């Protein structure tokens, strides 16, 4: 699998020139149909399109059934290609549908959000949410290509851009102290995104290449995600306020840095640096004390756990992360209290 960065027209024509497919279908949601499909239409006039409703709440088995049905109605055979044009929801779910349709057909990812460009499109994780549990059902299957063009981001809502930026911050914190020093002094608007996208993809690719099935170092990519996922899931199930993935992960990075600090693994000044930057970019999510136990209970479903022990990836210094660190309910509660300012 290759991840290539450039102009979508050139990237897609190059890919399509290499292999003849019996049919090509493009999966979009209503937003990427409007904003992104026209950029791809130029290379592939009148493509076959499957459209689904946008949003995480549609990343489920019911939508998969609609996609598989549409693929069946189009008579796609095993030599067809599926192009997933959209954010992480389209990529994860479209990839999952392609990887399972007739035991798997070729598919490529064209990520159109910052989050999907720097994270979701690299590493072969595909899947859907199930009964409120994030990415509970899924497979590891690599796409045939990932084509990244930062031009798509021009139409992305600013909150979505900020959400994706959290994964860039994460990549710097776990692997590249020098890059962290360059981003932490800038506002989001001042960041050099094309450069950071390439940087993040390189970091994630290198980590995934070392450990595809996540037995070891790949777990460091989950920094901020143990508590972040729990908070995200809690809001998805219980709150009318929408919480974006990256916003939850940004909060999770503060909480897990605090846990590292309390364990004596991580310096207080580094915790302060991270906290200052994340609060400046993301603000503080309002979490009620009464909801702490429910959030902690959700962390038990985390796929990184072994048995009933919650394991997290914890920084030992900026640019370096350890994994499989057991964390207790008490530590999680203290981290939530610290985050909300209690
Ligand atoms: N597979 C992985 O390794 C991995 C890693 C991280 C996250 N994820 C998953 O990714 C998902 C989140 O991804 P996301 O943040 O991209 O969400 P998303 O796919 O829901 O996209 C966010 C919103 O932006 C819209 N949009 C997309 N591209 C646009 C564009 N260019 N212009 C205007 N609007 C556009 C979408 O329609 C949607 O409303 C989650 O489900 C998460 O679990 C997967
Ligand atoms: Zn993430």
């Amino acid at each position: 699998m290759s991840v290539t960065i450039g102009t979508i027209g050139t990237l897609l024509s190059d890919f399509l020139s290499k292999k003849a497919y019996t049919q090509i279908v493009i999966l979009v949601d209503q937003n990427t149909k409007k904003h992104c499909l026209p950029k791809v239409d130029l290379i592939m006039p009148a493509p076959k399109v499957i459209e689904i409703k946008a949003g995480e709440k549609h990343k489920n088995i019911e939508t998969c059934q609609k996609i598989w049905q549409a693929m069946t109605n189009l008579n796609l055979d095993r030599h067809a290609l599926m192009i997933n044009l959209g954010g992480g929801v389209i990529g994860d779910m479209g990839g999952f549908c392609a990887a399972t349709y007739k035991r798997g057909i070729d598919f490529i990812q064209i990520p159109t959000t910052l989050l999907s460009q720097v994270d979701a499109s690299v590493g072969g994780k595909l899947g859907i949410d199930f009964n409120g549990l994030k990415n509970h059902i899924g497979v590891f299957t690599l796409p045939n290509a990932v084509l990244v063009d930062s031009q798509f981001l021009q139409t992305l809502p600013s909150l979505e851009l900020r959400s994706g930026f959290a994964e860039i911050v994460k990549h710097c914190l776990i692997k590249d102290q020098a890059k962290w020093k360059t981003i932490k002094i800038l506002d989001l608007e001042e960041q050099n995104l094309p450069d950071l996208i390439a940087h993040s993809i390189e970091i994630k690719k290198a980590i995934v290449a070392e450990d595809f099935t996540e037995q070891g170092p790949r777990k460091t990519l989950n920094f901020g995600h143990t508590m972040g996922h729990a908070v995200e899931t809690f809001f998805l199930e219980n709150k009318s306020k929408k919480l974006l993935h990256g916003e939850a992960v940004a909060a999770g990075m503060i909480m897990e840095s605090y846990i590292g600090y309390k364990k004596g693994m991580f310096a207080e000044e580094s915790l302060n640096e991270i906290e200052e930057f994340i609060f400046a970019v993301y603000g503080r999510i309002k979490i009620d004390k009464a909801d702490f136990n429910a959030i902690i209970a959700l962390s038990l479903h985390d796929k990184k756990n072994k048995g009933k022990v919650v394991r997290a990836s914890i920084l030992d210094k900026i640019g370096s992360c350890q994994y499989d660190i057991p964390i207790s309910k008490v530590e999680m509660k203290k981290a939530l209290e610290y985050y909300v300012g209690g």
Side-chain angles (χ1 to χ4, degrees):
M1 192 239 359
S2 67
V3 182
T4 45
I5 305 178
T7 307
I8 193 58
T10 317
L11 296 175
L12 190 55
S13 328
D14 283 357
F15 177 83
L16 293 174
S17 67
K18 286 185 195 128
K19 187 167 168 183
Y21 287 101
T22 49
Q23 288 197 69
I24 299 176
V25 65
I26 306 185
L27 181 70
V28 291
D29 62 31
Q30 71 267 26
N31 298 321
T32 62
K33 183 180 184 184
K34 182 173 169 204
H35 298 295
C36 308
L37 192 58
K39 295 183 173 128
V40 173
D41 260 353
L42 299 173
I43 306 117
M44 297 176 43
K48 295 195 175 68
V49 173
I50 301 176
E51 183 183 342
I52 58 169
K53 290 192 184 120
E56 182 77 28
K57 73 172 191 283
H58 299 289
K59 188 180 166 185
N60 56 32
I61 193 73
E62 286 78 22
T63 312
C64 288
Q65 284 180 10
K66 288 183 187 147
I67 297 170
W68 286 317
Q69 188 60 56
M71 294 166 87
T72 307
N73 293 348
L74 287 167
N75 288 318
L76 296 194
D77 65 21
R78 289 177 76 176
H79 308 284
L81 173 73
M82 176 128 145
I83 299 178
N84 297 313
L85 180 66
V89 169
I90 288 278
D92 281 14
M93 183 163 49
F96 178 66
C97 287
T100 47
Y101 178 80
K102 300 196 182 206
R103 298 198 182 87
I105 62 168
D106 281 8
F107 66 98
I108 64 174
Q109 309 290 49
I110 304 183
T112 62
T113 63
L114 183 57
L115 185 127
S116 56
Q117 294 190 344
V118 300
D119 190 356
S121 59
V122 184
K125 283 189 185 175
L126 308 170
I128 53 171
D129 303 335
F130 182 71
N131 289 345
L133 297 172
K134 283 267 304 163
N135 300 326
H136 196 61
I137 305 293
V139 294
F140 278 97
T141 305
L142 287 173
N144 296 76
V146 181
L147 313 180
V148 178
D149 183 347
S150 62
Q151 300 291 323
F152 285 119
L153 305 180
Q154 283 162 1
T155 57
L156 193 65
S158 58
L159 281 180
E160 296 289 350
L161 196 80
R162 190 180 71 157
S163 171
F165 182 65
E167 304 289 356
I168 291 178
V169 173
K170 178 192 77 180
H171 288 141
C172 296
L173 287 176
I174 62 171
K175 205 68 185 174
D176 193 340
Q177 188 188 30
K179 204 68 166 179
W180 162 253
K181 285 186 177 152
T182 69
I183 65 167
K184 75 167 184 171
I185 52 168
L186 300 174
D187 289 336
L188 177 52
E189 301 72 42
E190 300 167 330
Q191 306 284 348
N192 180 348
L193 286 183
D195 170 68
L196 291 175
I197 291 167
H199 173 260
S200 264
I201 290 173
E202 278 317 307
I203 286 187
K204 182 155 183 189
K205 265 170 59 180
I207 293 175
V208 169
E210 206 182 326
D211 174 27
F212 183 63
T213 54
E214 203 168 319
Q215 305 303 307
R218 184 167 180 175
K219 295 178 186 181
T220 60
L221 290 165
N222 294 320
F223 170 59
H225 282 64
T226 301
M227 301 227 49
H229 260 168
V231 170
E232 184 181 10
T233 306
F234 180 79
F235 272 71
L236 184 67
E237 285 179 347
N238 299 287
K239 297 281 174 185
S240 49
K241 182 189 175 308
K242 205 178 154 220
L243 193 61
L244 297 179
H245 178 73
E247 294 176 292
V249 168
M253 288 194 282
I254 294 180
M255 295 175 202
E256 292 173 21
S257 298
Y258 177 77
I259 292 175
Y261 158 65
K262 287 304 271 184
K263 281 181 181 292
M265 286 173 62
F266 190 57
E268 187 172 18
E269 56 171 352
S270 301
L271 167 67
N272 293 338
E273 242 179 62
I274 291 173
E275 188 184 314
E276 197 183 311
F277 182 70
I278 289 180
F279 279 139
V281 176
Y282 295 91
R284 200 189 295 252
I285 301 164
K286 198 182 165 315
I287 307 173
D288 296 332
K289 287 207 162 77
D291 296 331
F292 286 0
N293 285 340
I295 293 170
I296 291 165
L298 283 167
S299 72
L300 284 169
H301 289 289
D302 199 289
K303 289 179 285 300
K304 298 175 286 300
N305 300 338
K306 266 192 190 156
K308 284 210 176 312
V309 182
V310 177
R311 285 164 196 264
S313 300
I314 304 281
L315 298 179
D316 48 17
K317 60 180 192 209
I318 290 178
S320 166
C321 189
Q322 296 197 14
Y323 53 89
D324 276 346
I325 308 290
I327 61 172
S328 70
K329 287 183 186 175
V330 173
E331 285 172 316
M332 286 190 268
K333 198 166 201 164
K334 290 217 164 104
L336 281 159
E337 276 164 8
Y338 179 77
Y339 176 83
V340 301

